[in-house]
Amino acid sequence: MHLNRHSLQQIDAAYIQSLEPEALRRLSVQLLADLKEAWDRLNQGPENSSRPPSSRAPWERTGGGSASADDAADDALMPAPADVQPVDVQPTDPSPKRKPGKQPGAPGFGRTQGLHAHEEQAHYPLGCAGCGQPLTGAAAGAYTGFQAVDLRLGEPGQPGLTLWGVDPRSYEVACGCGHRTRAVAAQGAVDPLLAGIELSEWRLVGPALAGLIVALALRFRLSRARIQAFLGEGLEATLSIGTIHQTIHEASAVVAPAEAERIEAVLASDLLHADDTSGPEHGQPLWLWVFHALTVTLYYVAGRGREWVDNVLDGLSGWLMSDGWIAYRHYPRRLRCWAHLLRKARGLAQSCDRDARRFGQQVLSTLETRMAAVYAAREGHPPSIYPLNTPRR
């Protein structure tokens, strides 16, 4: 039983002087055990535990001290003592914060770049909305239209990318029944979870240009501002950052149905690697989850908890390679990440407790010996040149 904060606040020099020898020895043993445990916790770092590099103090960091998914903590966080009550901090400014972006009533800005149209696309209604009879393009009149910009790939003798302007036109056709039917832009279905995203044929950015924007953002990791500069300088296409941002989100909604196929491939894999790292967004504690199989990698941004992990990995039949976080430990076919085992063994080898230190040294020596045998096998040497009880130096 550890001494909690309430008990420590009552122990002072006068209380220690008043104890009988037997009680004083008992208290000393308890204080020594707590002191050793506290020292072991203070000695933990990224090199001998599962703490990420971001847990270092700012003056101890090198290279910016940023954490990655490979450095995610593998154990549950230590809960706060039971006698520590949370403090309810009231905001100093009760007034609502100003929302980002254009404010209601602010003057808008229209497009200033004139797009040269290389072709016109005509859209006619297929059937009468009144009587249902098929329609032809005869006696049709254009009633609305918009401009779109796309890319054209070069020919074998003239490679490159060309900015390609398109003028889609929607037509109105009169039927013999007297009803006039208009062609309308097609609408796409969007997952209800993707709030604020709409898929419509009525849009400025064409499919080829949208693909380039997505590649620049995801494959080449360019910011919205750098994508804007690249398109303006390289293709002479003036797009707002809002349009670029909207294009990326619309593309994510288009490929959302492919997520189910990725999940099936992840669950059917023989060996699945799982890891997570914290990444708060707008003050909310969120985590980036990575599930990596042989042919596919699945990313999630969500909360943290065993229930969420069970929902994702429901149906997994292969082996799960993970760190030692408690949410993974109930899987029967689980492999422990070797890097985390080495850190744990190194931390035990540096412990103040004699038995823990001896056990950590034995585990560390065994792991290093096995690693030496694996490296020797990869290099084509017989594993027997490294005895099982002799670590490789």
Side-chain angles (χ1 to χ4, degrees):
M1 179 178 179
H2 296 283
L3 294 174
N4 57 25
R5 182 181 180 182
H6 178 70
S7 297
L8 289 174
Q9 289 177 338
Q10 301 177 63
I11 299 176
D12 53 15
Y15 175 76
I16 294 177
Q17 295 292 339
S18 65
L19 292 178
E20 297 294 331
E22 184 61 29
L24 181 59
R25 281 193 293 268
R26 178 182 175 278
L27 178 61
S28 300
V29 171
Q30 183 62 54
L31 290 173
L32 178 61
D34 289 354
L35 178 60
K36 286 186 176 182
E37 181 177 348
W39 177 259
D40 287 341
R41 289 183 178 275
L42 288 174
N43 190 45
Q44 288 182 356
E47 68 282 348
N48 64 359
S49 70
S50 298
R51 293 177 180 267
S54 58
S55 63
R56 290 192 180 101
W59 54 86
E60 296 176 348
R61 301 178 187 178
T62 58
S66 60
S68 63
D70 294 333
D71 299 313
D74 65 343
D75 290 319
L77 297 178
M78 176 62 63
D83 58 337
V84 178
Q85 301 298 327
V87 179
D88 186 12
V89 180
Q90 299 294 334
T92 56
D93 185 9
S95 60
K97 295 183 178 180
R98 178 181 180 273
K99 294 183 178 181
K102 181 177 177 294
Q103 303 302 304
F109 298 91
R111 170 165 291 280
T112 58
Q113 181 187 22
L115 299 176
H116 172 68
H118 295 83
E119 62 173 313
E120 180 179 317
Q121 294 178 351
H123 298 275
Y124 300 95
L126 299 179
C128 177
C131 64
Q133 294 296 320
L135 299 174
T136 64
Y143 77 95
T144 188
F146 63 97
Q147 282 190 316
V149 59
D150 207 355
L151 293 179
R152 281 293 179 92
L153 298 178
E155 303 295 334
Q158 190 177 2
L161 297 176
T162 303
L163 201 64
W164 194 261
V166 181
D167 281 354
R169 295 290 180 264
S170 298
Y171 285 81
E172 180 184 76
V173 180
C175 180
C177 68
H179 188 81
R180 304 183 66 86
T181 304
R182 290 179 171 181
V184 295
Q187 301 288 328
V190 181
D191 192 310
L193 296 177
L194 303 177
I197 301 178
E198 297 181 357
L199 295 180
S200 173
E201 192 178 15
W202 189 294
R203 60 193 316 276
L204 173 65
V205 179
L209 181 56
L212 175 62
I213 292 175
V214 171
L216 293 175
L218 300 182
R219 180 62 62 86
F220 299 100
R221 308 295 183 184
L222 296 186
S223 64
R224 308 295 194 261
R226 289 183 179 273
I227 295 175
Q228 182 187 44
F230 175 86
L231 297 177
E233 298 173 4
L235 299 175
E236 297 183 354
T238 303
L239 297 180
S240 67
I241 292 181
T243 299
I244 295 173
H245 184 77
Q246 180 183 8
T247 300
I248 296 173
H249 280 253
E250 290 174 352
S252 67
V254 171
V255 300
E259 180 181 353
E261 301 178 7
R262 303 298 187 271
I263 295 177
E264 292 178 1
V266 165
L267 297 179
S269 61
D270 296 330
L271 176 61
L272 178 65
H273 297 261
D275 204 352
D276 65 282
T277 185
S278 60
E281 293 184 6
H282 303 290
Q284 298 296 324
L286 296 177
W287 277 262
L288 171 64
W289 294 84
V290 182
F291 300 94
H292 177 68
L294 181 61
T295 59
V296 63
T297 301
L298 187 63
Y299 297 92
Y300 279 108
V301 176
R304 199 172 195 241
R306 172 174 171 175
E307 180 181 359
W308 192 90
V309 176
D310 290 343
N311 291 336
V312 175
L313 300 181
D314 184 22
L316 177 65
S317 58
W319 287 94
L320 176 65
M321 173 72 76
S322 70
D323 53 29
W325 187 39
I326 192 172
Y328 301 120
R329 295 178 184 175
H330 63 288
Y331 282 91
R333 305 186 68 187
R334 186 175 72 93
L335 302 174
R336 184 70 182 271
C337 173
W338 202 300
H340 288 82
L341 291 177
L342 286 173
R343 296 179 193 173
K344 294 291 186 180
R346 193 174 294 114
L348 289 173
Q350 298 173 359
S351 174
C352 293
D353 185 81
R354 184 184 299 104
D355 294 335
R357 185 167 59 252
R358 184 184 300 111
F359 176 75
Q361 292 170 351
Q362 292 177 353
V363 173
L364 186 60
S365 176
T366 302
L367 293 178
E368 291 178 347
T369 301
R370 297 302 186 271
M371 291 179 61
V374 172
Y375 291 144
R378 290 177 180 177
E379 296 171 359
H381 301 295
S384 58
I385 65 173
Y386 297 110
L388 293 181
N389 295 326
T390 303
R392 183 182 181 184
R393 298 299 181 186

mmCIF file of all heavy atoms in Angstrom, residues 94-137:
data_model
loop_
_atom_site.group_PDB
_atom_site.id
_atom_site.type_symbol
_atom_site.label_atom_id
_atom_site.label_comp_id
_atom_site.label_asym_id
_atom_site.label_seq_id
_atom_site.Cartn_x
_atom_site.Cartn_y
_atom_site.Cartn_z
ATOM 1 N N PRO A 94 -16.238 35.139 -21.152
ATOM 2 C CA PRO A 94 -17.415 34.338 -21.474
ATOM 3 C C PRO A 94 -17.972 34.598 -22.865
ATOM 4 O O PRO A 94 -18.842 33.865 -23.325
ATOM 5 C CB PRO A 94 -18.418 34.754 -20.387
ATOM 6 C CG PRO A 94 -18.002 36.157 -20.041
ATOM 7 C CD PRO A 94 -16.508 36.198 -20.176
ATOM 8 N N SER A 95 -17.522 35.642 -23.547
ATOM 9 C CA SER A 95 -18.059 35.966 -24.864
ATOM 10 C C SER A 95 -17.628 34.917 -25.889
ATOM 11 O O SER A 95 -16.532 34.374 -25.818
ATOM 12 C CB SER A 95 -17.548 37.344 -25.307
ATOM 13 O OG SER A 95 -16.145 37.351 -25.377
ATOM 14 N N PRO A 96 -18.493 34.550 -26.840
ATOM 15 C CA PRO A 96 -18.149 33.527 -27.839
ATOM 16 C C PRO A 96 -17.000 33.994 -28.719
ATOM 17 O O PRO A 96 -16.861 35.181 -29.031
ATOM 18 C CB PRO A 96 -19.447 33.363 -28.635
ATOM 19 C CG PRO A 96 -20.189 34.649 -28.436
ATOM 20 C CD PRO A 96 -19.835 35.113 -27.048
ATOM 21 N N LYS A 97 -16.185 33.011 -29.124
ATOM 22 C CA LYS A 97 -15.053 33.343 -29.983
ATOM 23 C C LYS A 97 -15.517 33.574 -31.423
ATOM 24 O O LYS A 97 -16.516 33.027 -31.864
ATOM 25 C CB LYS A 97 -14.017 32.223 -29.942
ATOM 26 C CG LYS A 97 -13.361 32.036 -28.586
ATOM 27 C CD LYS A 97 -12.294 30.955 -28.660
ATOM 28 C CE LYS A 97 -11.606 30.790 -27.313
ATOM 29 N NZ LYS A 97 -10.558 29.735 -27.358
ATOM 30 N N ARG A 98 -14.747 34.350 -32.138
ATOM 31 C CA ARG A 98 -15.047 34.637 -33.544
ATOM 32 C C ARG A 98 -14.762 33.402 -34.387
ATOM 33 O O ARG A 98 -13.687 32.807 -34.296
ATOM 34 C CB ARG A 98 -14.195 35.807 -34.020
ATOM 35 C CG ARG A 98 -14.376 36.178 -35.479
ATOM 36 C CD ARG A 98 -13.455 37.328 -35.816
ATOM 37 N NE ARG A 98 -13.566 37.738 -37.201
ATOM 38 C CZ ARG A 98 -12.875 37.211 -38.190
ATOM 39 N NH1 ARG A 98 -12.013 36.230 -37.930
ATOM 40 N NH2 ARG A 98 -13.018 37.629 -39.430
ATOM 41 N N LYS A 99 -15.724 32.965 -35.182
ATOM 42 C CA LYS A 99 -15.545 31.809 -36.025
ATOM 43 C C LYS A 99 -14.565 32.113 -37.153
ATOM 44 O O LYS A 99 -14.512 33.242 -37.654
ATOM 45 C CB LYS A 99 -16.882 31.372 -36.621
ATOM 46 C CG LYS A 99 -17.878 30.865 -35.587
ATOM 47 C CD LYS A 99 -19.150 30.384 -36.259
ATOM 48 C CE LYS A 99 -20.125 29.835 -35.232
ATOM 49 N NZ LYS A 99 -21.377 29.343 -35.866
ATOM 50 N N PRO A 100 -13.763 31.113 -37.556
ATOM 51 C CA PRO A 100 -12.819 31.357 -38.654
ATOM 52 C C PRO A 100 -13.548 31.516 -39.984
ATOM 53 O O PRO A 100 -14.669 31.038 -40.172
ATOM 54 C CB PRO A 100 -11.943 30.095 -38.644
ATOM 55 C CG PRO A 100 -12.810 29.042 -38.043
ATOM 56 C CD PRO A 100 -13.655 29.744 -37.027
ATOM 57 N N GLY A 101 -12.892 32.184 -40.890
ATOM 58 C CA GLY A 101 -13.453 32.330 -42.228
ATOM 59 C C GLY A 101 -14.259 33.608 -42.391
ATOM 60 O O GLY A 101 -14.270 34.503 -41.538
ATOM 61 N N LYS A 102 -14.954 33.682 -43.496
ATOM 62 C CA LYS A 102 -15.762 34.856 -43.834
ATOM 63 C C LYS A 102 -16.923 35.005 -42.863
ATOM 64 O O LYS A 102 -17.627 34.055 -42.569
ATOM 65 C CB LYS A 102 -16.286 34.727 -45.265
ATOM 66 C CG LYS A 102 -17.130 35.905 -45.740
ATOM 67 C CD LYS A 102 -17.537 35.698 -47.190
ATOM 68 C CE LYS A 102 -18.448 36.843 -47.652
ATOM 69 N NZ LYS A 102 -19.726 36.834 -46.946
ATOM 70 N N GLN A 103 -17.115 36.213 -42.348
ATOM 71 C CA GLN A 103 -18.160 36.493 -41.382
ATOM 72 C C GLN A 103 -19.452 36.886 -42.094
ATOM 73 O O GLN A 103 -19.429 37.412 -43.214
ATOM 74 C CB GLN A 103 -17.719 37.609 -40.433
ATOM 75 C CG GLN A 103 -16.427 37.314 -39.692
ATOM 76 C CD GLN A 103 -16.508 36.049 -38.869
ATOM 77 O OE1 GLN A 103 -17.382 35.908 -38.015
ATOM 78 N NE2 GLN A 103 -15.601 35.112 -39.119
ATOM 79 N N PRO A 104 -20.604 36.593 -41.481
ATOM 80 C CA PRO A 104 -21.879 36.987 -42.099
ATOM 81 C C PRO A 104 -21.935 38.488 -42.333
ATOM 82 O O PRO A 104 -21.611 39.291 -41.459
ATOM 83 C CB PRO A 104 -22.921 36.538 -41.060
ATOM 84 C CG PRO A 104 -22.236 35.453 -40.287
ATOM 85 C CD PRO A 104 -20.794 35.841 -40.240
ATOM 86 N N GLY A 105 -22.340 38.869 -43.536
ATOM 87 C CA GLY A 105 -22.441 40.278 -43.889
ATOM 88 C C GLY A 105 -21.185 40.881 -44.484
ATOM 89 O O GLY A 105 -21.221 42.010 -44.990
ATOM 90 N N ALA A 106 -20.071 40.151 -44.442
ATOM 91 C CA ALA A 106 -18.828 40.681 -45.025
ATOM 92 C C ALA A 106 -18.903 40.631 -46.543
ATOM 93 O O ALA A 106 -19.506 39.719 -47.124
ATOM 94 C CB ALA A 106 -17.632 39.875 -44.530
ATOM 95 N N PRO A 107 -18.305 41.618 -47.229
ATOM 96 C CA PRO A 107 -18.353 41.620 -48.700
ATOM 97 C C PRO A 107 -17.608 40.431 -49.281
ATOM 98 O O PRO A 107 -16.556 40.027 -48.780
ATOM 99 C CB PRO A 107 -17.681 42.947 -49.077
ATOM 100 C CG PRO A 107 -16.819 43.287 -47.901
ATOM 101 C CD PRO A 107 -17.551 42.760 -46.698
ATOM 102 N N GLY A 108 -18.147 39.840 -50.337
ATOM 103 C CA GLY A 108 -17.524 38.694 -50.983
ATOM 104 C C GLY A 108 -16.590 39.119 -52.110
ATOM 105 O O GLY A 108 -16.497 40.294 -52.475
ATOM 106 N N PHE A 109 -15.908 38.154 -52.648
ATOM 107 C CA PHE A 109 -14.969 38.397 -53.739
ATOM 108 C C PHE A 109 -15.235 37.371 -54.841
ATOM 109 O O PHE A 109 -15.339 36.169 -54.575
ATOM 110 C CB PHE A 109 -13.518 38.274 -53.261
ATOM 111 C CG PHE A 109 -13.146 39.275 -52.204
ATOM 112 C CD1 PHE A 109 -13.301 38.969 -50.869
ATOM 113 C CD2 PHE A 109 -12.678 40.529 -52.543
ATOM 114 C CE1 PHE A 109 -12.976 39.881 -49.884
ATOM 115 C CE2 PHE A 109 -12.349 41.452 -51.565
ATOM 116 C CZ PHE A 109 -12.499 41.136 -50.233
ATOM 117 N N GLY A 110 -15.350 37.833 -56.054
ATOM 118 C CA GLY A 110 -15.592 36.948 -57.184
ATOM 119 C C GLY A 110 -14.300 36.607 -57.907
ATOM 120 O O GLY A 110 -13.221 37.123 -57.606
ATOM 121 N N ARG A 111 -14.414 35.713 -58.894
ATOM 122 C CA ARG A 111 -13.252 35.296 -59.671
ATOM 123 C C ARG A 111 -12.801 36.431 -60.583
ATOM 124 O O ARG A 111 -13.606 37.053 -61.282
ATOM 125 C CB ARG A 111 -13.598 34.050 -60.495
ATOM 126 C CG ARG A 111 -12.530 33.666 -61.515
ATOM 127 C CD ARG A 111 -12.750 32.280 -62.026
ATOM 128 N NE ARG A 111 -12.495 31.316 -60.974
ATOM 129 C CZ ARG A 111 -11.280 30.905 -60.621
ATOM 130 N NH1 ARG A 111 -10.216 31.377 -61.259
ATOM 131 N NH2 ARG A 111 -11.113 30.058 -59.654
ATOM 132 N N THR A 112 -11.512 36.685 -60.557
ATOM 133 C CA THR A 112 -10.932 37.741 -61.396
ATOM 134 C C THR A 112 -10.237 37.186 -62.628
ATOM 135 O O THR A 112 -9.979 37.926 -63.573
ATOM 136 C CB THR A 112 -9.919 38.557 -60.578
ATOM 137 O OG1 THR A 112 -8.893 37.691 -60.080
ATOM 138 C CG2 THR A 112 -10.612 39.235 -59.391
ATOM 139 N N GLN A 113 -9.912 35.877 -62.635
ATOM 140 C CA GLN A 113 -9.223 35.290 -63.777
ATOM 141 C C GLN A 113 -10.234 34.852 -64.828
ATOM 142 O O GLN A 113 -11.188 34.120 -64.538
ATOM 143 C CB GLN A 113 -8.396 34.075 -63.336
ATOM 144 C CG GLN A 113 -7.640 33.425 -64.484
ATOM 145 C CD GLN A 113 -6.963 32.125 -64.054
ATOM 146 O OE1 GLN A 113 -7.362 31.510 -63.075
ATOM 147 N NE2 GLN A 113 -5.936 31.727 -64.792
ATOM 148 N N GLY A 114 -10.054 35.312 -66.054
ATOM 149 C CA GLY A 114 -10.897 34.884 -67.150
ATOM 150 C C GLY A 114 -10.383 33.576 -67.735
ATOM 151 O O GLY A 114 -9.236 33.496 -68.179
ATOM 152 N N LEU A 115 -11.226 32.546 -67.742
ATOM 153 C CA LEU A 115 -10.832 31.234 -68.225
ATOM 154 C C LEU A 115 -11.200 31.083 -69.691
ATOM 155 O O LEU A 115 -12.347 31.330 -70.091
ATOM 156 C CB LEU A 115 -11.514 30.131 -67.404
ATOM 157 C CG LEU A 115 -11.184 30.101 -65.911
ATOM 158 C CD1 LEU A 115 -12.006 29.028 -65.214
ATOM 159 C CD2 LEU A 115 -9.705 29.852 -65.705
ATOM 160 N N HIS A 116 -10.232 30.704 -70.498
ATOM 161 C CA HIS A 116 -10.472 30.471 -71.921
ATOM 162 C C HIS A 116 -11.079 29.083 -72.100
ATOM 163 O O HIS A 116 -10.526 28.086 -71.622
ATOM 164 C CB HIS A 116 -9.173 30.579 -72.712
ATOM 165 C CG HIS A 116 -9.314 30.162 -74.141
ATOM 166 N ND1 HIS A 116 -10.049 30.879 -75.055
ATOM 167 C CD2 HIS A 116 -8.821 29.079 -74.808
ATOM 168 C CE1 HIS A 116 -10.004 30.281 -76.229
ATOM 169 N NE2 HIS A 116 -9.255 29.185 -76.113
ATOM 170 N N ALA A 117 -12.233 29.009 -72.760
ATOM 171 C CA ALA A 117 -12.921 27.744 -72.963
ATOM 172 C C ALA A 117 -12.377 27.045 -74.202
ATOM 173 O O ALA A 117 -12.420 27.587 -75.305
ATOM 174 C CB ALA A 117 -14.419 27.974 -73.093
ATOM 175 N N HIS A 118 -11.849 25.850 -74.017
ATOM 176 C CA HIS A 118 -11.377 25.041 -75.134
ATOM 177 C C HIS A 118 -12.485 24.192 -75.740
ATOM 178 O O HIS A 118 -12.384 23.762 -76.883
ATOM 179 C CB HIS A 118 -10.236 24.134 -74.674
ATOM 180 C CG HIS A 118 -9.007 24.874 -74.242
ATOM 181 N ND1 HIS A 118 -8.864 25.414 -72.983
ATOM 182 C CD2 HIS A 118 -7.862 25.179 -74.912
ATOM 183 C CE1 HIS A 118 -7.691 26.004 -72.872
ATOM 184 N NE2 HIS A 118 -7.055 25.878 -74.026
ATOM 185 N N GLU A 119 -13.508 23.899 -74.947
ATOM 186 C CA GLU A 119 -14.622 23.104 -75.463
ATOM 187 C C GLU A 119 -15.874 23.422 -74.663
ATOM 188 O O GLU A 119 -15.819 23.977 -73.564
ATOM 189 C CB GLU A 119 -14.323 21.612 -75.374
ATOM 190 C CG GLU A 119 -14.123 21.093 -73.945
ATOM 191 C CD GLU A 119 -13.987 19.589 -73.902
ATOM 192 O OE1 GLU A 119 -14.812 18.915 -74.548
ATOM 193 O OE2 GLU A 119 -13.066 19.099 -73.208
ATOM 194 N N GLU A 120 -17.019 23.053 -75.262
ATOM 195 C CA GLU A 120 -18.306 23.232 -74.599
ATOM 196 C C GLU A 120 -18.968 21.870 -74.445
ATOM 197 O O GLU A 120 -18.955 21.057 -75.369
ATOM 198 C CB GLU A 120 -19.207 24.158 -75.411
ATOM 199 C CG GLU A 120 -20.561 24.392 -74.762
ATOM 200 C CD GLU A 120 -21.443 25.331 -75.571
ATOM 201 O OE1 GLU A 120 -20.902 26.352 -76.056
ATOM 202 O OE2 GLU A 120 -22.642 25.044 -75.716
ATOM 203 N N GLN A 121 -19.529 21.633 -73.281
ATOM 204 C CA GLN A 121 -20.220 20.384 -72.999
ATOM 205 C C GLN A 121 -21.706 20.676 -72.856
ATOM 206 O O GLN A 121 -22.110 21.484 -72.030
ATOM 207 C CB GLN A 121 -19.682 19.730 -71.725
ATOM 208 C CG GLN A 121 -18.240 19.263 -71.826
ATOM 209 C CD GLN A 121 -17.743 18.660 -70.533
ATOM 210 O OE1 GLN A 121 -18.411 18.730 -69.507
ATOM 211 N NE2 GLN A 121 -16.547 18.069 -70.565
ATOM 212 N N ALA A 122 -22.508 20.000 -73.687
ATOM 213 C CA ALA A 122 -23.953 20.203 -73.673
ATOM 214 C C ALA A 122 -24.625 19.103 -72.871
ATOM 215 O O ALA A 122 -24.322 17.915 -73.046
ATOM 216 C CB ALA A 122 -24.498 20.221 -75.102
ATOM 217 N N HIS A 123 -25.558 19.498 -71.993
ATOM 218 C CA HIS A 123 -26.295 18.557 -71.162
ATOM 219 C C HIS A 123 -27.786 18.735 -71.443
ATOM 220 O O HIS A 123 -28.337 19.819 -71.223
ATOM 221 C CB HIS A 123 -26.005 18.792 -69.683
ATOM 222 C CG HIS A 123 -24.557 18.592 -69.326
ATOM 223 N ND1 HIS A 123 -24.021 17.370 -69.022
ATOM 224 C CD2 HIS A 123 -23.531 19.488 -69.247
ATOM 225 C CE1 HIS A 123 -22.727 17.493 -68.752
ATOM 226 N NE2 HIS A 123 -22.408 18.772 -68.887
ATOM 227 N N TYR A 124 -28.413 17.657 -71.940
ATOM 228 C CA TYR A 124 -29.839 17.680 -72.279
ATOM 229 C C TYR A 124 -30.606 16.746 -71.344
ATOM 230 O O TYR A 124 -30.077 15.719 -70.905
ATOM 231 C CB TYR A 124 -30.065 17.228 -73.724
ATOM 232 C CG TYR A 124 -29.372 18.092 -74.756
ATOM 233 C CD1 TYR A 124 -28.120 17.735 -75.254
ATOM 234 C CD2 TYR A 124 -29.975 19.254 -75.232
ATOM 235 C CE1 TYR A 124 -27.484 18.511 -76.200
ATOM 236 C CE2 TYR A 124 -29.344 20.040 -76.182
ATOM 237 C CZ TYR A 124 -28.092 19.674 -76.655
ATOM 238 O OH TYR A 124 -27.463 20.449 -77.597
ATOM 239 N N PRO A 125 -31.854 17.062 -71.067
ATOM 240 C CA PRO A 125 -32.676 16.124 -70.285
ATOM 241 C C PRO A 125 -32.997 14.891 -71.117
ATOM 242 O O PRO A 125 -33.232 14.990 -72.332
ATOM 243 C CB PRO A 125 -33.924 16.936 -69.958
ATOM 244 C CG PRO A 125 -34.004 17.965 -71.046
ATOM 245 C CD PRO A 125 -32.592 18.304 -71.403
ATOM 246 N N LEU A 126 -32.981 13.737 -70.487
ATOM 247 C CA LEU A 126 -33.224 12.488 -71.212
ATOM 248 C C LEU A 126 -34.704 12.218 -71.420
ATOM 249 O O LEU A 126 -35.089 11.612 -72.430
ATOM 250 C CB LEU A 126 -32.590 11.325 -70.444
ATOM 251 C CG LEU A 126 -31.081 11.409 -70.257
ATOM 252 C CD1 LEU A 126 -30.573 10.212 -69.456
ATOM 253 C CD2 LEU A 126 -30.359 11.491 -71.598
ATOM 254 N N GLY A 127 -35.528 12.638 -70.484
ATOM 255 C CA GLY A 127 -36.963 12.389 -70.604
ATOM 256 C C GLY A 127 -37.764 13.533 -70.044
ATOM 257 O O GLY A 127 -37.263 14.362 -69.273
ATOM 258 N N CYS A 128 -39.027 13.580 -70.449
ATOM 259 C CA CYS A 128 -39.917 14.639 -69.986
ATOM 260 C C CYS A 128 -40.266 14.397 -68.529
ATOM 261 O O CYS A 128 -40.660 13.285 -68.144
ATOM 262 C CB CYS A 128 -41.183 14.672 -70.847
ATOM 263 S SG CYS A 128 -42.409 15.889 -70.304
ATOM 264 N N ALA A 129 -40.134 15.408 -67.709
ATOM 265 C CA ALA A 129 -40.460 15.298 -66.296
ATOM 266 C C ALA A 129 -41.956 15.238 -66.065
ATOM 267 O O ALA A 129 -42.396 14.870 -64.969
ATOM 268 C CB ALA A 129 -39.862 16.471 -65.526
ATOM 269 N N GLY A 130 -42.762 15.573 -67.114
ATOM 270 C CA GLY A 130 -44.206 15.538 -66.974
ATOM 271 C C GLY A 130 -44.804 14.217 -67.398
ATOM 272 O O GLY A 130 -45.335 13.461 -66.584
ATOM 273 N N CYS A 131 -44.684 13.882 -68.700
ATOM 274 C CA CYS A 131 -45.316 12.669 -69.210
ATOM 275 C C CYS A 131 -44.360 11.483 -69.260
ATOM 276 O O CYS A 131 -44.791 10.353 -69.475
ATOM 277 C CB CYS A 131 -45.881 12.923 -70.610
ATOM 278 S SG CYS A 131 -44.608 13.299 -71.866
ATOM 279 N N GLY A 132 -43.064 11.697 -69.102
ATOM 280 C CA GLY A 132 -42.103 10.615 -69.086
ATOM 281 C C GLY A 132 -41.622 10.179 -70.443
ATOM 282 O O GLY A 132 -40.845 9.214 -70.545
ATOM 283 N N GLN A 133 -42.054 10.845 -71.536
ATOM 284 C CA GLN A 133 -41.620 10.470 -72.871
ATOM 285 C C GLN A 133 -40.173 10.893 -73.104
ATOM 286 O O GLN A 133 -39.717 11.920 -72.567
ATOM 287 C CB GLN A 133 -42.512 11.126 -73.924
ATOM 288 C CG GLN A 133 -43.957 10.637 -73.908
ATOM 289 C CD GLN A 133 -44.038 9.158 -74.253
ATOM 290 O OE1 GLN A 133 -43.327 8.660 -75.139
ATOM 291 N NE2 GLN A 133 -44.906 8.439 -73.532
ATOM 292 N N PRO A 134 -39.380 10.101 -73.879
ATOM 293 C CA PRO A 134 -38.002 10.496 -74.175
ATOM 294 C C PRO A 134 -37.959 11.771 -74.989
ATOM 295 O O PRO A 134 -38.866 12.076 -75.775
ATOM 296 C CB PRO A 134 -37.460 9.297 -74.965
ATOM 297 C CG PRO A 134 -38.662 8.610 -75.515
ATOM 298 C CD PRO A 134 -39.762 8.815 -74.527
ATOM 299 N N LEU A 135 -36.881 12.538 -74.794
ATOM 300 C CA LEU A 135 -36.710 13.821 -75.460
ATOM 301 C C LEU A 135 -35.473 13.801 -76.334
ATOM 302 O O LEU A 135 -34.528 13.041 -76.105
ATOM 303 C CB LEU A 135 -36.593 14.946 -74.429
ATOM 304 C CG LEU A 135 -37.793 15.167 -73.495
ATOM 305 C CD1 LEU A 135 -37.447 16.227 -72.456
ATOM 306 C CD2 LEU A 135 -39.018 15.591 -74.303
ATOM 307 N N THR A 136 -35.478 14.643 -77.340
ATOM 308 C CA THR A 136 -34.309 14.842 -78.196
ATOM 309 C C THR A 136 -33.808 16.258 -78.010
ATOM 310 O O THR A 136 -34.439 17.094 -77.363
ATOM 311 C CB THR A 136 -34.670 14.591 -79.667
ATOM 312 O OG1 THR A 136 -35.648 15.566 -80.083
ATOM 313 C CG2 THR A 136 -35.227 13.187 -79.863
ATOM 314 N N GLY A 137 -32.644 16.533 -78.588
ATOM 315 C CA GLY A 137 -32.054 17.852 -78.440
ATOM 316 C C GLY A 137 -32.625 18.883 -79.386
ATOM 317 O O GLY A 137 -32.165 20.034 -79.402
#
